[in-house]
Amino acid sequence: MRNNILQEQISYYKARAQEYDEWFYRIGRYDRGEENNQRWFSQIETVQTALHGLGKFESILELACGTGIWTKELINMGKSVTAVDASEEVIQINKNKLNSLTKISSTNTSLKNIEYQQLDLFSWEPEKQYELVLFAFWLSHIPPNLLDEFFDKVYRSVLPQGQIFIIDSRWSETSSAINHDFRNGKDIYQQRKLNNGEEFQIVKVYYQSDLLQEKLQKAGFKIKVEVTPDYFIYIKGTKS
């Protein structure tokens, strides 16, 4: 693995901060037509329903919180949410997005209970434990040789009998931008473009369910792996 690939990945998400939501909401280069878009959003709803089915929590840790797509779900599930990301740019977007929710909903009182931390997750060490730890679309950016170490840190960040929820991508030709080379899901590295054409190389690993089952059980979790028909894999786990 190139020594600077992880730093280049951080640089990519800093540079992509203002564009990131276009991917999730199927805008611009990510618009794959009405039928594919409907399938995408239907499968997102499946994952959201599974997440909310976990119930309510006193404390939640969100790793790689990004622009707040999942943070805004978590504030309705936890009395306190700690949101961690390496990018100052996406944290600011996250804050702005959640602040706008207070203007829309007078019943949402959880926003004041969010703590943001700007940290590189490859050097992150857990300082406390939480009832729920979630990370979405981060797992696939972890190189295989660092997976065991990361899962060990996640285990240490979960309270006894606490839970984890992991969301990530399945390989699909229609999940990424139309101008990305997306011919197979076997390469560990992928070349990614911004709207202005600037290119970065990142880690993107489409981990298989059986490997994740093995790794997470080894780390100390009892888990259940689910997949949607096309786009997503999600994992519910309990610290054993």
Side-chain angles (χ1 to χ4, degrees), residues 58 77 82 126 143 161-162 223 227 231 238:
E58 291 289 324
M77 296 176 60
T82 300
Q161 304 305 312
I223 70 161
V227 295
Y231 294 118
T238 303

Side-chain angles (χ1 to χ4, degrees), residues 47-61 70-81 108 110-111 131-134 163-165 167 236:
V47 178
Q48 290 172 331
T49 299
L51 172 61
H52 286 285
L54 298 180
K56 303 290 186 178
F57 300 88
E58 291 289 324
S59 60
I60 299 176
L61 172 65
W70 296 96
T71 317
K72 66 183 179 64
E73 305 293 332
L74 295 177
I75 60 173
N76 296 312
M77 296 176 60
K79 288 188 176 179
S80 69
V81 177
N108 194 332
S110 300
L111 296 180
E131 287 188 351
L132 172 66
V133 176
L134 175 143
Q163 298 185 63
I164 59 171
F165 195 87
I167 309 161
K236 295 179 283 187

Side-chain angles (χ1 to χ4, degrees), residues 139 147-148 151 206-218 223-227 233 235:
L139 177 65
L147 201 57
D148 286 335
F151 283 157
Y206 296 95
Y207 288 109
Q208 298 299 307
S209 298
D210 54 353
L211 176 65
L212 294 176
Q213 182 101 24
E214 174 189 338
K215 294 285 188 182
L216 285 163
Q217 287 179 343
K218 179 182 176 182
I223 70 161
K224 183 177 183 180
V225 181
E226 303 275 5
V227 295
I233 180 171
I235 300 168

Side-chain angles (χ1 to χ4, degrees), residues 125-126 128-129 149 151-158 239:
E125 289 291 339
K128 59 181 290 188
Q129 294 181 314
E149 177 186 354
F151 283 157
D152 176 69
K153 291 194 288 187
V154 171
Y155 182 83
R156 288 188 277 121
S157 72
V158 181
K239 185 172 182 176

Side-chain angles (χ1 to χ4, degrees), residues 8 20 39 80 96 114 131 136 144 155 198 204 206 218 220:
E8 184 170 351
Y20 184 86
R39 290 177 66 83
S80 69
N96 293 342
I114 300 176
E131 287 188 351
Y155 182 83
E198 186 178 3
K204 186 68 177 178
Y206 296 95
K218 179 182 176 182

Side-chain angles (χ1 to χ4, degrees), residues 31-50:
D31 184 345
R32 293 295 192 142
E34 183 177 355
E35 181 178 349
N36 284 321
N37 292 348
Q38 286 180 348
R39 290 177 66 83
W40 174 277
F41 289 118
S42 174
Q43 291 171 43
I44 284 288
E45 186 176 355
T46 296
V47 178
Q48 290 172 331
T49 299

